[in-house]
Structures are given as C-alpha cells and as structure tokens.
Amino acid sequence: QWRVDKMLWLLLCACIVLSLPIDRPISLNRIGPEVSFGRTGLRRRPLLSILRRHAMTSKPELASQAPVYDDSSPLNKTFMNFFRSKMAEEVEMDSGLEGYAGIMDLTLNKLANNPSRYSTNEEIQGASYRILRSLFPAWFLVAFQAMFARPLPEFSGRLIALVTAFSCQWLMGPCQVNNPTSDSVKMDVSQDGLGVKIGRCRYLEESGCISVCLNCCKIPTQRFFQENMGIPTTITPNYTDYSCQFHFGKASSREEDTEIFNVPCYEHCPTKKRHIDDLCSGSKV
C-alpha cells in the first residue's frame, strides 16, 4: 500500500511539473519579433524561478499608452545619430536596426548583455561613462568647469537642467525643468530650476531592465556630471511608473542608493539570464 501511495504522489508531482507554463523567447519592447534574446526554442521555466516569482518586480501596467515619439524630426535624428555613433565606437560594431530600435539593440545586445566584452557591472558602467564623455570635446569640459561650475555652481546646475531637458527628450521622453524637492514634505525654493522630471522614461520602459537603468544610465551619468561637468548629480528612478528625477547640485551617496540597488528585477527582464539572483543590484549584475 505504501509503495502505491508513493507512486501516486510521484505521478502527481510529475504532472504538476509538466504542466508548468513555458517561457517564450524574450523580445525587445516595440522592436519586433525578429530581435530576441536567449534561445530560440521553447524551454520550461525553472521551478526555482516559479518559487521566487513573488520577489520579482512586475513591469508597470500603466493606464495610458506610451507616448508617440517623434524620431523623424531633424533635431532628434541629429542627436540620436550622434549618440548612436559614439555607442558604436565604444562597442566596435553597429546595429542593423534603424532609429531608436538600433539604440536599444546596441544597449541590450552589445553593452549590457555582452559578457565576452563587458563581464562585470563596473565594466558596463565604465563603457557607458566613456560614451557620455565622448559626446563632448575635452577642451569644452575643462572650460565649463573653470568658467561656470566652480565659480557659479547654482547657475551651472540650472543651465545643465535646461540643456538636458531640451536635448535629451528623444532618449528619455517628455521631461521638464522643475524643483527636485517639490514632492518633499517641505519644498526648498532655493532648488527651483535644479531638477529635471521625466514623466515616463522611454529608455527604462523600452529596455525593460532595471540593471540597464542602473549600469547604463544612473551610475555613469552621475559620474559624468560630477567628474567632467563639475556638478554633483543625483538621479532617482521610479520603477513602478517609469518616472525619474534628476537633481543637479546634490551628490548621490551609496547609502541613499541602497534601496534602488536592491529593487528586484522585472519579471520579464531581457538581461535577467546574467543575474546571479532576481535582484538587479548594481553589485550583483
């Protein structure tokens, strides 16, 4: 009788495992089915990931559809093509995709998901930082610090906020200059104009990866503004609604970033196969 019961239990467990849903190939958001990550064949989801599922972050299901981005305007195309050329120089190859899809392809396939070239988060951050630095001639960065950042730090922070809001909407989506403390219990009026608020970050939404946000944007961008523009900067992304707040003139600390670094990966993160666990931690990717 005991053997019969044991066999029935084993059969039941086998049926449960075989009935688990299977993963589809992971594709880039809005790029199309021809661009995919991982294996092209179907595979069963590991039972461990099912048990961990409660710890993952679901991608936000926003009530409104994503904005329609104008990638065809001459100004946006100029910014996009220049940025893309610097990315291609860093990774030493270009994408076969056009427009913003090519930016995402380079980011996810050649930068964030290319362990043969960038095997650690520090290497990914370093590559992203070099891309940002290459957008400006070296003499300009030195002159800006000497003529603006050091003698006029608040003016410089407001100037950078204006330029960022004007020139980066093609990359991040609609954004506006604001007071970065406006959502605080007590707003500091002295901070007026020192922030940029992105309502719905295109880069985060289309990459679908918190690690990409941390290692390809937040950390290298903060470093670039601090070291090369002479303006301390804190970038605070919101992974529940894709919004993001830039605060120029405020240095980012590791302690303040702890909560962000420990945010669980999105459930369908396209680079999660590189993660040690479900965390998109800057120190564990």
Side-chain angles (χ1 to χ4, degrees):
Q1 179 65 31
W2 179 84
R3 288 186 177 181
V4 173
D5 291 343
K6 186 175 181 180
M7 291 181 64
L8 289 175
W9 274 109
L10 291 174
L11 181 61
L12 178 60
C13 291
C15 291
I16 292 174
V17 172
L18 291 174
S19 66
L20 292 176
I22 54 180
D23 282 342
R24 304 291 177 184
I26 302 172
S27 59
L28 298 180
N29 296 339
R30 286 188 276 284
I31 291 182
E34 70 277 5
V35 184
S36 60
F37 288 87
R39 301 166 188 169
T40 56
L42 301 180
R43 61 181 177 86
R44 295 201 173 277
R45 181 180 299 142
L47 183 59
L48 182 58
S49 70
I50 299 293
L51 299 176
R52 281 182 177 174
R53 184 168 182 165
H54 70 280
M56 299 180 189
T57 301
S58 297
K59 288 189 68 176
E61 296 293 338
L62 303 183
S64 60
Q65 292 185 342
V68 177
Y69 302 103
D70 183 13
D71 293 336
S72 62
S73 73
L75 187 61
N76 286 346
K77 287 182 69 175
T78 299
F79 285 138
M80 185 181 301
N81 290 337
F82 182 58
F83 184 79
R84 176 173 177 160
S85 69
K86 297 302 181 180
M87 291 188 72
E89 287 179 12
E90 169 61 33
V91 300
E92 297 183 349
M93 64 183 69
D94 201 353
S95 169
L97 300 175
E98 299 293 331
Y100 202 84
I103 299 290
M104 284 291 98
D105 183 30
L106 287 173
T107 299
L108 291 170
N109 279 311
K110 310 302 189 299
L111 185 60
N113 199 36
N114 186 7
S116 63
R117 185 175 180 86
Y118 309 111
S119 59
T120 67
N121 66 296
E122 289 84 2
E123 291 178 353
I124 295 172
Q125 293 168 15
S128 301
Y129 165 73
R130 289 191 295 273
I131 291 170
L132 292 174
R133 192 178 57 189
S134 69
L135 297 173
F136 302 87
W139 65 263
F140 172 82
L141 298 174
V142 173
F144 183 87
Q145 291 192 56
M147 299 172 63
F148 293 95
R150 285 195 288 270
L152 303 166
E154 290 191 4
F155 172 79
S156 300
R158 291 183 172 90
L159 179 61
I160 290 176
L162 286 170
V163 173
T164 300
F166 169 74
S167 62
C168 295
Q169 295 201 29
W170 69 269
L171 178 65
M172 305 182 298
C175 53
Q176 60 183 3
V177 176
N178 75 337
N179 183 321
T181 68
S182 59
D183 293 334
S184 304
V185 176
K186 187 177 181 180
M187 185 175 72
D188 184 356
V189 294
S190 69
Q191 300 298 300
D192 286 346
L194 287 171
V196 172
K197 179 71 172 184
I198 301 115
R200 184 167 175 168
C201 181
R202 182 184 188 184
Y203 191 76
L204 172 60
E205 184 171 9
E206 298 217 10
S207 68
C209 181
I210 293 173
S211 173
V212 166
C213 172
L214 290 172
N215 294 320
C216 299
C217 180
K218 175 180 165 61
I219 303 303
T221 303
Q222 290 177 168
R223 178 186 173 189
F224 170 75
F225 281 124
Q226 170 75 55
E227 296 184 6
N228 298 101
M229 302 293 285
I231 301 297
T233 304
T234 298
I235 299 175
T236 307
N238 185 326
Y239 297 123
T240 62
D241 64 3
Y242 296 130
S243 66
C244 187
Q245 178 68 60
F246 281 57
H247 189 166
F248 297 104
K250 178 187 176 184
S252 177
S253 68
R254 186 69 179 185
E255 291 74 18
E256 292 175 336
D257 287 340
T258 298
E259 183 177 352
I260 295 177
F261 283 125
N262 290 315
V263 170
C265 178
Y266 285 134
E267 182 181 346
H268 298 296
C269 168
T271 64
K272 192 160 71 68
K273 66 181 182 179
R274 291 191 59 209
H275 301 172
I276 297 174
D277 52 27
D278 288 325
L279 292 179
C280 262
S281 168
S283 62
K284 293 186 179 180
V285 175

